[in-house]
Structures are given as structure tokens and as C-alpha cells.
């Protein structure tokens, strides 16, 4: 069984690296740090590589151990978490050179790029996959480990709101509450605390929001000039795509953000409410994600990018 293979590889390895996707969210960071803590409990040290670490997650255990670079050439084992494809994996050169590779993920669009792939698209967060895995490995999920895991669950489920939540999500949270994890504190830190730049970007995003296709689609954007104006830091665009989706009658919300190194490249985020599979739409542009939350990177001017997306969405809306 795959889980037995995973523990076998972990036990064999001496030099281990933990990797996750670019522009890391709470699930990416939570699952990476949870893996670090779990490996420690198994007597293994591991490097965690995360660039562009958003400040909101600074409270997490072992934040100080996170590295931006690694000089080590050949790891025995590389573990990729919450990342559907090799090209979005930060530090993928280490993954490529590692003797053994493991992919643990919950994206339906996962490319199965590891030697061992443990992918469960029904799990609402990569962190939730880790619960069952760690239990199988007989690792005690204590306050520290639980805090990392719960952070990923809370961020990827929008605070237990999305349809992907399962009975296990609540059972686990209930267990953690009993163990003394401050659930409401984590919730407040990762979902309810806005930075000032994020708030300023939200105002711009709302102000520019267009309603298309009889109000079934919302479109809005942020440019590099905006990011500069509000003095935006890492992760300050998070959550902006959600605003449009919450408006009555909207099926898909689109948020695009200019890439800092090229004004004609846009990072696209899409969210849907009921029937549109935005992962399929994003796959048309070389991206992917989940049925109701997906992304892609598209080249062109803002107008061109907008037209490309809307034309694709018209087919399914
Ligand atoms: P985001 O809109 O960036 O919050 O991403 C929503 C979901 O889509 C996440 O699960 C991402 O992992 C996935 N995703 C975002 N951008 C891409 C991309 N360029 N390629 C593949 N998946 C993506
Ligand atoms: Mn993620
Ligand atoms: Mn995730």
C-alpha cells in the first residue's frame, strides 16, 4: 500500500526536503510545516523550502526553520505538498535531483509527477490528508502539529464553509479543541485579519468589478501600479477573488493580477458557486485546480486576457 511505501522511504532517507507550490496559501504552508513536525517526531530532520512566506502565517510553529534556498544538491527524498504540477513547485530542481520523490495532494488536476503519488481529490485540504496519514504512522497529533494542520483546513475550506468539508473535518477540529488548540484564534488570524494594503486592494477590486453575461460572471483586476500604490506585500491579494462570487446571481468570479516581472502576463483566479467547473476552464489555459477554485497564467494585455477567459466561460455558463 502506498502509505507503507511512504513510511518506508521516510525511514530510509537521511536528507529530506519538503516543497510546496508558488504563492503559497495556508494549506501549502500548513501542510509543509505539519510534515516537518511529523518527521521530527519520527526522528528525521528535514528542510522546508518556502519563498514568499505571507506574514499572516508567521505565528505557525517552526516558522523560523523555513528556508528560502538550499545549497544541498542531492536529497535522498523530496516531498511535495498541495501542488498539482511540477512547474508550480518551488525548488523543483531539488525534486528533480532527489533519489526518491513523494507527492501528497488533493487537486483533481494533479499530474502524478512523483515516484509515489498520494492524491485524494475528495479531501478539502492537503492538510486533511495528513491526518489519516499521520494516524496510520502512529504519530501523535498534538497541539503544535494540530495547529499547522488546522490552518490548512481553515484556509482551504474558507472557514468550514465550502462543500468539500466532511464529517472528519469537524471530528478532527473537535479533537483539537479538546487538546487545547485555540481554534478561534487561528480562525481570526488567517481569515479575519486584513492587512491595510489588502483592504485598500479590496476597495479597488470592488470599485472596478464588472458584471457580465446577465450578472452570472464578475470580472475585476489589480495591476502592478495598484500594488505599488497601496504598498502591497506578499499575499496581500489573497481573498480578492472571493468577493464577486458572494454576490447574488453570480456563478463565476474572475480576478486577474498582473505579474510583477512582465506587464503582459496575468495570474488568473476563478471561483464558481454551483455548476461551472473552473478547473476545466483553467486547464484550457494550462492551469488547473479544483472544480470551484482554480487558476492559470495567461499572456496578453488586460483586455486580451479578459476576452480569452470570457469566451471560454461563455461555452459553459
Ligand atoms: P488561486 O486562485 O491562486 O487561489 O488558486 C486556486 C486553486 O487553483 C488552487 O488550488 C491552486 O493550486 C490552483 N491554481 C492556481 N493557479 C494555478 C496554475 N497556474 N496552474 C495550476 N493550478 C493553479
Ligand atoms: Mn494551495
Ligand atoms: Mn490546498
Amino acid at each position: 500500500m502506498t502509505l507503507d511505501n511512504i513510511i518506508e522511504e521516510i525511514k530510509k532517507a537521511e536528507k529530506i526536503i519538503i516543497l510546496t507550490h508558488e504563492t503559497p496559501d495556508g494549506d501549502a504552508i500548513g501542510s509543509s510545516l505539519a510534515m516537518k513536525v511529523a518527521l521530527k517526531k519520527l526522528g528525521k530532520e528535514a528542510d522546508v523550502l518556502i519563498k514568499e512566506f505571507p506574514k499572516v502565517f508567521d505565528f505557525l510553529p517552526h516558522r523560523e526553520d523555513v528556508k528560502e534556498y538550499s545549497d544541498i544538491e542531492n536529497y535522498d527524498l523530496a516531498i511535495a505538498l498541495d501542488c498539482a504540477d511540477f512547474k508550480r513547485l518551488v525548488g523543483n530542481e531539488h525534486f528533480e535531483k532527489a533519489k526518491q520523490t513523494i507527492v501528497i495532494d488533493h487537486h483533481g488536476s494533479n499530474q502524478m509527477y512523483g515516484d509515489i503519488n498520494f492524491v485524494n481529490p475528495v479531501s478539502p485540504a492537503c492538510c486533511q490528508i495528513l491526518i489519516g496519514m499521520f494516524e496510520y504512522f502512529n504519530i501523535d497529533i498534538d497541539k503544535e502539529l494540530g495547529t499547522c494542520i488546522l490552518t490548512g483546513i481553515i484556509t482551504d475550506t474558507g472557514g468550514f464553509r465550502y462543500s468539500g468539508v466532511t464529517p472528519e473535518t469537524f471530528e478532527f477540529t473537535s479533537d483539537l479543541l479538546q487538546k487545547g488548540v485555540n481554534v478561534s484564534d487561528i480562525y481570526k488570524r488567517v481569515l479575519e485579519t486584513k492587512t491595510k494594503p489588502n483592504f485598500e486592494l479590496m476597495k479597488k477590486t470592488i470599485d472596478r468589478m464588472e458584471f457580465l453575461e446577465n450578472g452570472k460572471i464578475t470580472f475585476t483586476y489589480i495591476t502592478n501600479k495598484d500594488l505599488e500604490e497601496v504598498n502591497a506585500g506578499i499575499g496581500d491579494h489573497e481573498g480578492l477573488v472571493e468577493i464577486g462570487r458572494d454576490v447574488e446571481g453570480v456563478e463565476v468570479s474572475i480576478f486577474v493580477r498582473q505579474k510583477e516581472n512582465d506587464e503582459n502576463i496575468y495570474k488568473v483566479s476563478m471561483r464558481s458557486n454551483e455548476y461551472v467547473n473552473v478547473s476545466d476552464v483553467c486547464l484550457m489555459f494550462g492551469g488547473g485546480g479544483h472544480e470551484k477554485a482554480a487558476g492559470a497564467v495567461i499572456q496578453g494585455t488586460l483586455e486580451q486576457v479578459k476576452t480569452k477567459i470570457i469566451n471560454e466561460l461563455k461555452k459553459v455558463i
Side-chain angles (χ1 to χ4, degrees):
M1 188 191 168
T2 317
L3 282 177
D4 293 321
N5 298 336
I6 291 176
I7 191 72
E8 199 179 308
E9 292 305 333
I10 290 172
K11 283 184 174 158
K12 269 200 297 195
E14 278 184 17
K15 289 187 290 177
I16 306 176
I17 189 163
I18 296 167
L19 305 167
T20 189
H21 65 78
E22 59 189 7
T23 48
D25 48 28
D27 194 28
I29 291 170
S31 56
S32 298
L33 288 173
M35 184 55 79
K36 160 96 185 160
V37 177
L39 291 179
K40 227 179 175 45
K41 286 172 181 280
L42 292 169
K44 299 281 174 179
E45 283 303 324
D47 289 338
V48 181
L49 199 84
I50 301 176
K51 288 179 195 163
E52 305 195 325
F53 195 106
K55 279 206 301 284
V56 276
F57 302 113
D58 278 349
F59 72 99
L60 285 174
H62 294 276
R63 160 66 181 103
E64 65 284 357
D65 295 336
V66 170
K67 296 187 168 155
E68 292 205 350
Y69 298 95
S70 169
D71 298 332
I72 297 176
E73 279 278 312
N74 294 305
Y75 283 93
D76 299 323
L77 176 65
I79 305 176
L81 292 147
D82 193 42
C83 184
D85 54 63
F86 178 77
K87 71 175 195 299
R88 293 193 78 222
L89 189 69
V90 174
N92 55 16
E93 66 277 11
H94 296 295
F95 194 88
E96 209 163 21
K97 288 185 198 150
K99 285 192 203 123
Q100 263 299 321
T101 60
I102 298 173
V103 171
I104 301 167
D105 187 31
H106 70 126
H107 291 87
S109 59
N110 192 288
Q111 304 288 311
M112 307 290 180
Y113 53 97
D115 296 323
I116 303 174
N117 299 285
F118 195 76
V119 178
N120 178 6
V122 185
S123 183
C126 184
C127 275
Q128 187 165 318
I129 297 178
L130 296 182
I131 303 169
M133 181 177 287
F134 294 163
E135 281 170 354
Y136 189 81
F137 296 164
N138 280 318
I139 293 170
D140 173 43
I141 301 181
D142 58 8
K143 200 170 166 178
E144 201 176 53
L145 189 46
T147 298
C148 299
I149 294 177
L150 196 61
T151 295
I153 291 179
I154 289 178
T155 50
D156 259 27
T157 62
F160 311 110
R161 284 180 302 137
Y162 301 158
S163 51
V165 295
T166 65
E168 197 193 359
T169 317
F170 291 108
E171 282 159 18
F172 174 72
T173 309
S174 155
D175 279 353
L176 282 188
L177 255 177
Q178 272 167 352
K179 287 178 184 168
V181 173
N182 194 336
V183 177
S184 84
D185 179 64
I186 299 176
Y187 196 107
K188 182 147 187 63
R189 281 175 187 276
V190 302
L191 287 185
E192 289 178 346
T193 313
K194 285 179 182 49
T195 61
K196 188 81 194 329
N198 177 255
F199 182 73
E200 293 300 329
L201 290 177
M202 190 185 278
K203 287 203 285 192
K204 286 182 192 282
T205 309
I206 292 174
D207 204 35
R208 286 171 187 166
M209 196 169 287
E210 281 180 77
F211 288 81
L212 307 159
E213 298 296 302
N214 291 322
K216 283 193 232 158
I217 300 175
T218 61
F219 178 89
T220 190
Y221 65 93
I222 287 294
T223 64
N224 284 328
K225 192 163 152 274
D226 298 322
L227 295 170
E228 242 171 72
E229 264 172 33
V230 305
N231 208 2
I234 293 161
D236 279 337
H237 59 273
E238 286 294 333
L240 300 177
V241 64
E242 319 283 349
I243 302 169
R245 174 166 69 176
D246 292 343
V247 183
E248 194 178 23
V250 172
E251 172 57 20
V252 177
S253 64
I254 309 161
F255 167 69
V256 309
R257 173 171 60 91
Q258 209 169 26
K259 281 267 191 178
E260 69 262 36
N261 40 6
D262 190 333
E263 64 175 29
N264 279 327
I265 297 185
Y266 286 85
K267 166 73 217 301
V268 180
S269 286
M270 277 186 225
R271 300 291 185 267
S272 66
N273 269 318
E274 278 172 35
Y275 60 92
V276 172
N277 184 331
V278 285
S279 179
D280 284 350
V281 177
C282 287
L283 271 171
M284 301 299 291
F285 301 106
H290 310 283
E291 275 177 35
K292 290 177 178 165
V297 174
I298 305 183
Q299 268 196 340
T301 63
L302 183 63
E303 272 310 307
Q304 286 167 340
V305 168
K306 178 177 159 190
T307 309
K308 281 184 194 175
I309 305 168
I310 302 297
N311 284 344
E312 212 47 60
L313 270 177
K314 273 183 185 168
K315 298 178 192 165
V316 287
I317 199 100

